[in-house]
Amino acid sequence: MIVSHDSADDLAALLPTLDDPRLQVIVVDCASSDGSAVRAALPHVTVEALPDNVGWARGNNHGAARAAAPVLAFVNPDARPNAEQLVALAGRLDDRTGTVSPRFVDGA
């Protein structure tokens, strides 16, 4: 889940790294004026273009309501995880764990 507002360049860098059939990628665009919704319109991405900038929390709630995946990852547009990293992170969850948080340092 990615909430975007005027993040076209960041989405262009991030979304190709998430092209993996194991992931359901949802971009909630909050009334961007830089073409973010168009940039996010890739075959493996569901784009929800909102008419107003509802903010990060409400944007995530909007996207979460449309998600079918059993695990949600909230990823900022300027983050650079790849599909393998997100799948590995989700694999750390079990029936007793509600959340995990990675630490990405210098692109690693």
Side-chain angles (χ1 to χ4, degrees), residues 33-50:
S33 61
D34 69 346
S36 291
V38 172
R39 183 69 60 96
L42 299 171
H44 70 284
V45 177
T46 299
V47 178
E48 294 285 332
L50 303 182

Side-chain angles (χ1 to χ4, degrees), residues 77-101:
D78 61 347
R80 295 296 176 263
N82 62 43
E84 286 302 321
Q85 291 167 328
L86 292 177
V87 169
L89 189 62
R92 302 284 299 177
L93 293 168
D94 59 32
D95 61 347
R96 297 169 300 180
T97 307
T99 183
V100 294
S101 180

Side-chain angles (χ1 to χ4, degrees), residues 1-71:
M1 175 108 39
I2 303 159
V3 174
S4 169
H5 177 73
D6 290 339
S7 303
D9 291 341
D10 285 325
L11 291 172
L14 171 62
L15 293 174
T17 70
L18 303 180
D19 186 4
D20 188 298
R22 299 172 292 177
L23 302 179
Q24 178 188 18
V25 179
I26 299 172
V27 173
V28 178
D29 184 67
C30 296
S32 291
S33 61
D34 69 346
S36 291
V38 172
R39 183 69 60 96
L42 299 171
H44 70 284
V45 177
T46 299
V47 178
E48 294 285 332
L50 303 182
D52 299 305
N53 185 357
V54 299
W56 186 81
R58 286 182 62 195
N60 276 312
N61 288 338
H62 183 87
R66 285 144 183 79
V71 174

